Amino acid sequence: LAHVDSGKTTLSEALLYGTGTIRKLGRVDHKDAFLDTDALEKARGITIFSKQALFTAGNTDFTLLDTPGHVDFSTETERTLQVLDYAVLVISGTDGVQSHTETLWRLLRRYHVPTFVFVNKMDQPGTDKQAVLSQLQREFSVSCVDFSKKDDNPDEFFENVALCDESVLNDYLNTGSIETDVIKELIASRELFPCFFGSALKMTGVKELLEAVTLYAKQPAYTREFGARVFKIARDEQGARLTYMKLTGGILKNKELLSGGKDSEKWSEKVNQIRIYSGEKYTAPAQVQAGVVCAVTGLTKTYPGQGLGTQAGT
């Protein structure tokens, strides 16, 4: 997530390249970014539609959702927020916190999304790391903590983390350290916001961000019963209607009947095909499980924000 031109799609490219998912580092200004696939996006040089990519880091599989940064397409971004486990909010090191960044922060708070912050473009002249960090702490939260050099000065790092929670502070004063699981819980409960500084274009700071997300992001707990949240409706190149959803519980199989609506508006429709997209390409598995973000064909009554199964009515 980011204000337009903060380098969000460039960071997405860097994450995909750094994990070996793509072999060539695309650029928005070269019109060859892996995720800006629409002709209009290439022409304007901005992200208009939320996109999906898959990558693996260590033993963790990630689904990356790249959202539009331009305020004109913020509805698309807000819908996507509803299915995120964690967010990476990208800030321009040269511009700092901008108006749309503040809007995104409020939305992240509203939807209770744990957030990592990546301050980009720090390779450009005139950037001041401490000034940006101070602004983040002033305008967002005093719990924005610099994680980029935590190994250089662990005592200072632990002190800053401990100040985010009174019980953690007491434990730290007694032990002189903070367990990884404690840091995970602070991030998950939005009491701590890890901040990183670098340049996505130059691939600096990206590795540290990825390592931290892999280490500190908690695996969500899912229910056994089927549940899903719809966040986007689109059409493929052949005109087929695609319902994008994240499974919040259970399993979804091809040809399964899904239902929704109330009273006279109730409907049941069959899932014709399940697709898992990564960029323009997709695989079509026979079934998917909780945690997966997929698109399905065959549904005509769905809409963004809709809950299915155990999520119905929420």
Side-chain angles (χ1 to χ4, degrees):
L1 304 150
H3 185 97
V4 68
D5 290 336
S6 296
K8 171 182 46 57
T9 299
T10 306
L11 177 59
S12 299
E13 293 282 318
L15 289 167
L16 296 172
Y17 182 76
T19 53
T21 307
I22 57 176
R23 294 182 179 180
K24 179 176 177 286
L25 201 56
R27 287 178 56 156
V28 175
D29 53 348
H30 292 175
K31 303 182 181 180
D32 60 355
F34 181 75
L35 289 169
D36 279 351
T37 53
D38 187 84
L40 194 58
E41 291 175 319
K42 290 181 179 180
R44 293 187 62 176
I46 59 171
T47 302
I48 297 173
F49 309 104
S50 59
K51 298 295 192 333
Q52 176 178 339
L54 308 176
F55 67 86
T56 300
N59 297 318
T60 308
D61 295 329
F62 288 91
T63 300
L64 183 152
L65 296 175
D66 181 28
T67 64
H70 202 287
V71 67
D72 290 354
F73 311 109
S74 56
T75 304
E76 180 97 3
T77 299
E78 184 170 356
R79 289 166 181 164
T80 307
L81 279 178
Q82 299 175 46
V83 301
L84 297 183
D85 297 318
Y86 288 82
V88 176
L89 181 63
V90 185
I91 310 284
S92 167
T94 54
D95 299 315
V97 175
Q98 296 167 277
S99 58
H100 189 50
T101 325
E102 294 175 355
T103 302
L104 291 169
W105 186 261
R106 287 195 296 271
L107 289 171
L108 288 164
R109 184 171 56 219
R110 179 191 301 172
Y111 292 108
H112 309 291
V113 183
T115 303
F116 293 80
V117 177
F118 185 80
V119 181
N120 194 24
K121 303 187 179 183
M122 291 302 293
D123 57 318
Q124 297 193 10
T127 52
D128 184 332
K129 176 181 172 179
Q130 193 53 51
V132 177
L133 183 61
S134 297
Q135 186 186 28
L136 292 172
Q137 292 169 340
R138 186 172 63 251
E139 299 194 24
F140 287 169
S141 170
V142 292
S143 297
C144 288
V145 173
D146 182 8
F147 270 56
S148 60
K149 301 294 182 186
K150 67 183 180 70
D151 296 330
D152 294 352
N153 192 340
D155 289 341
E156 182 183 350
F157 169 72
F158 284 137
E159 284 173 20
N160 289 331
V161 170
L163 289 170
C164 298
D165 182 271
E166 194 171 330
S167 63
V168 174
L169 179 59
N170 289 332
D171 289 343
Y172 169 68
L173 292 174
N174 290 328
T175 64
S177 180
I178 302 174
E179 296 292 326
T180 298
D181 283 348
V182 173
I183 296 176
K184 279 186 179 183
E185 289 297 334
L186 288 172
I187 296 169
S189 60
R190 286 181 50 85
E191 293 177 86
L192 172 62
F193 304 98
C195 299
F196 297 83
F197 298 80
S199 167
L201 197 60
K202 301 284 179 65
M203 292 291 293
T204 58
V206 177
K207 180 170 174 279
E208 290 78 7
L209 169 68
L210 186 57
E211 287 175 348
V213 174
T214 306
L215 178 62
Y216 294 120
K218 289 176 62 180
Q219 193 73 12
Y222 296 113
T223 60
R224 289 189 175 184
E225 299 79 31
F226 169 76
R229 173 71 58 189
V230 176
F231 68 96
K232 175 177 152 181
I233 304 295
R235 294 196 179 268
D236 67 11
E237 291 181 349
Q238 283 70 46
R241 189 178 191 269
L242 299 173
T243 298
Y244 283 81
M245 63 177 72
K246 178 191 174 182
L247 262 67
T248 56
I251 291 173
L252 177 65
K253 298 179 180 179
N254 268 335
K255 310 307 177 188
E256 191 168 327
L257 270 180
L258 294 183
S259 56
K262 294 180 182 178
D263 305 325
S264 61
E265 301 287 317
K266 280 188 176 179
W267 55 265
S268 289
E269 294 182 320
K270 187 188 292 184
V271 171
N272 288 337
Q273 186 184 50
I274 300 169
R275 301 179 182 180
I276 299 179
Y277 276 89
S278 192
E280 289 182 294
K281 297 180 179 178
Y282 66 85
T283 56
Q287 66 177 47
V288 288
Q289 60 187 15
V292 168
V293 176
C294 63
V296 304
T297 63
L299 305 182
T300 65
K301 310 281 190 185
T302 47
Y303 57 86
Q306 183 177 21
L308 300 172
T310 57
Q311 294 288 321
T314 62

